Amino acid sequence: MVAMVGGIGYADPVGSRPKPPAPEQAKPKPTPVVKAAPLAPTIGANEIMKLTPPAGFVDDVVAYDNQKLAYVIADTGTKAELHVVQLGCATCAEEKKEVVVDLSPVTLRPVSLRLVGQNRVFVIGATEDGKQVGALVELAKSPATTVYKVGPATHINVIKRDNAQRVVMHVAEPTKKGVKHHVEVFALETGKRLVTSKPLELEGERDKRVDLAVNHWADGWTRAIGLKGGEWVKKENQRSPDTEAVYDLVAGKFIENKPISDLFEQRKRFQVLADANGQLDFLRLAPDNQSIQLWRAGQMKAVDLDQPLSNYDPKSLQGIINADGTAWVVLKMDPVNADAVARKKADPEYLDIFKVGTDGKATRKARILAKGVKHKFGVIGDMFWLLERSAGFDRGGKVLTVYSLAS
């Protein structure tokens, strides 16, 4: 195209003219950000009380009766302070309604508590050399005023025997040929010595006097369980097969002696019970981590969870066996379990609480959000407590919380 200027024509340079404006395009709308709903801190449970010490930490031992809760505030080695509060009282410390007793004259490392009557607590503590001591403590005075003491001993337990609560002291003494075991029994309320047993003198694992090879112990280390040598059968000119037997040190006799019908089952069961540290009631994972085993009175029953076991961290298993054969099972969700990985979304780190019936069926009853937190679990009748561990510590914690199950 030629433009005329003063009669002279000039050609426009290519592209010198301004381009018409492009039509305005609609801007894409931003994708709305949908915030995930906050996770519920508790599901299926109600918080009853929370205890947080201003200094030190709450130790691992907790005891209760129908009205009171007992716990210990400790530090790394100079303090062990017993606190007794009304169960469910969330402001007892602030209102000075706690009973506080200095336990340091008895022990700096309590491992068990038992409330006795209205104004006493039986305390079992560990000594520096790994033994145990026990004392019945009055709650009316601080430092602790003791009614009586027992120990040191290898183990001290409170068990029910002869329809009464008894303190049992088990002593294991090394000998030139093995270990000598004996027990002493005391009345819980008074400390009166009731029984001093004859010893079992083991050479290796066998006591020649009663002809028993001990595999494991039970009932506060008062009963030795193992294989009893068979009797000589004269007409067959040989011994009868070994039997599975229970020897009661307090009674000084065998209280059970039965033939072994399945040798493979008996050996497999004895291997597990030998590692149970004197317990016949406990929970554990099966060796393949594919199921939970509930052991009651030395017999195993599989637990049938209503949730996939593979979704949980196997190291998180805790539990309590009740006297009626029911149980509590606690497991923590593995946030990157196989199901979570498959759907490319991590699971929230809930601590799940299950109740197990006598039929072995476990139903999830409650969930406590526990991201990055480890807990110790315990039971108070139909309620449960959780002790939040301090980072890097395997003993004690900074917060003790008691929960009831939602109806």
Side-chain angles (χ1 to χ4, degrees):
M1 178 177 179
V2 178
M4 299 301 293
V5 178
I8 303 174
Y10 294 90
D12 282 345
V14 177
S16 63
R17 289 174 297 170
K19 295 181 179 179
E24 190 171 313
Q25 296 181 352
K27 294 181 180 179
K29 294 182 179 179
T31 303
V33 177
V34 179
K35 293 184 178 181
L39 295 172
T42 62
I43 300 172
N46 299 314
E47 184 179 303
I48 299 300
M49 61 190 304
K50 179 176 287 188
L51 302 166
T52 305
F57 57 86
V58 180
D59 218 330
D60 286 349
V61 290
V62 175
Y64 73 97
D65 60 16
N66 292 331
Q67 298 177 332
K68 299 189 294 293
L69 178 76
Y71 65 102
V72 172
I73 294 178
D75 59 17
T76 55
T78 61
K79 176 182 178 180
E81 197 174 71
L82 174 68
H83 291 242
V84 181
V85 301
Q86 192 75 17
L87 190 58
C89 179
T91 59
C92 282
E94 292 83 351
E95 297 175 7
K96 306 299 182 183
K97 292 182 179 180
E98 287 184 315
V99 176
V100 181
V101 179
D102 178 12
L103 291 179
S104 59
V106 177
T107 180
L108 289 172
R109 182 65 189 270
V111 296
S112 179
L113 300 172
R114 178 70 63 94
L115 290 166
V116 181
Q118 293 297 315
N119 297 304
R120 293 177 175 181
V121 174
F122 188 79
V123 181
I124 300 173
T127 63
E128 292 184 358
D129 60 356
K131 295 184 182 298
Q132 293 185 343
V133 294
L136 185 63
V137 175
E138 292 279 2
L139 294 178
K141 296 181 180 180
S142 183
T145 300
T146 57
V147 179
Y148 67 88
K149 293 182 180 181
V150 295
T154 311
H155 303 98
I156 296 175
N157 289 279
V158 177
I159 67 171
K160 188 173 183 179
R161 190 177 178 101
D162 303 325
N163 295 318
Q165 296 296 316
R166 305 298 192 201
V167 176
V168 177
M169 186 173 71
H170 164 244
V171 178
E173 302 176 62
T175 64
K176 291 182 179 180
K177 295 182 179 181
V179 181
K180 179 170 66 174
H181 298 264
H182 80 273
V183 297
E184 296 181 42
V185 181
F186 305 85
L188 175 61
E189 294 80 3
T190 65
K192 180 182 178 181
R193 183 183 282 105
L194 304 174
V195 176
T196 299
S197 76
K198 291 183 178 180
L200 279 182
E201 300 193 37
L202 304 184
E203 296 181 16
E205 300 298 333
R206 181 174 293 277
D207 181 289
K208 293 181 178 179
R209 178 177 63 86
V210 298
D211 195 14
L212 177 70
V214 177
N215 180 77
H216 56 278
W217 297 80
D219 290 355
W221 299 79
T222 64
R223 291 176 177 174
I225 304 170
L227 298 178
K228 187 181 185 309
E231 304 294 333
W232 182 260
V233 182
K234 185 175 181 181
K235 65 179 181 179
E236 297 179 5
N237 198 31
Q238 64 180 0
R239 291 171 65 97
S240 63
D242 290 351
T243 55
E244 184 176 333
V246 179
Y247 183 83
D248 190 300
L249 272 72
V250 178
K253 63 181 180 180
F254 286 98
I255 59 171
E256 189 174 335
N257 191 2
K258 60 185 180 182
I260 301 169
S261 58
D262 186 334
L263 187 59
F264 176 77
E265 181 278 333
Q266 178 268 324
R267 287 180 176 177
K268 189 175 180 180
R269 176 164 46 86
F270 267 33
Q271 287 174 357
V272 175
L273 295 172
D275 297 329
N277 195 32
Q279 300 296 317
L280 295 183
D281 299 349
F282 55 90
L283 288 156
R284 73 166 204 152
L285 280 173
D288 61 3
N289 283 353
Q290 299 302 306
S291 63
I292 297 173
Q293 297 177 347
L294 188 158
W295 288 75
R296 168 71 174 154
Q299 299 293 325
M300 191 274 287
K301 177 188 296 181
V303 174
D304 181 15
L305 284 182
D306 67 353
Q307 304 294 320
L309 180 59
S310 58
N311 287 352
Y312 295 94
D313 177 1
K315 296 179 182 178
S316 67
L317 175 65
Q318 299 182 66
I320 302 289
I321 312 296
N322 296 323
D324 61 0
T326 61
W328 299 71
V329 169
V330 177
L331 289 160
K332 188 177 181 181
M333 290 291 292
D334 177 0
V336 290
N337 61 73
D339 287 348
V341 171
R343 64 176 179 269
K344 299 181 180 180
K345 184 179 180 181
D347 277 329
E349 292 183 58
Y350 275 107
L351 190 72
D352 286 356
I353 293 91
F354 297 81
K355 287 295 293 290
V356 186
T358 54
D359 58 358
K361 293 185 180 297
T363 303
R364 187 168 67 186
K365 294 293 187 180
R367 313 190 79 187
I368 308 296
L369 192 60
K371 184 178 180 180
V373 178
K374 293 183 179 180
H375 290 92
K376 180 177 174 60
F377 170 82
V379 171
I380 302 175
D382 293 330
M383 300 183 289
F384 65 92
W385 56 264
L386 294 174
L387 178 59
E388 182 180 329
R389 291 284 191 216
S390 300
F393 288 85
D394 290 329
R395 173 192 169 192
K398 53 187 178 181
V399 181
L400 175 67
T401 309
V402 179
Y403 299 89
S404 65
L405 293 177
S407 56

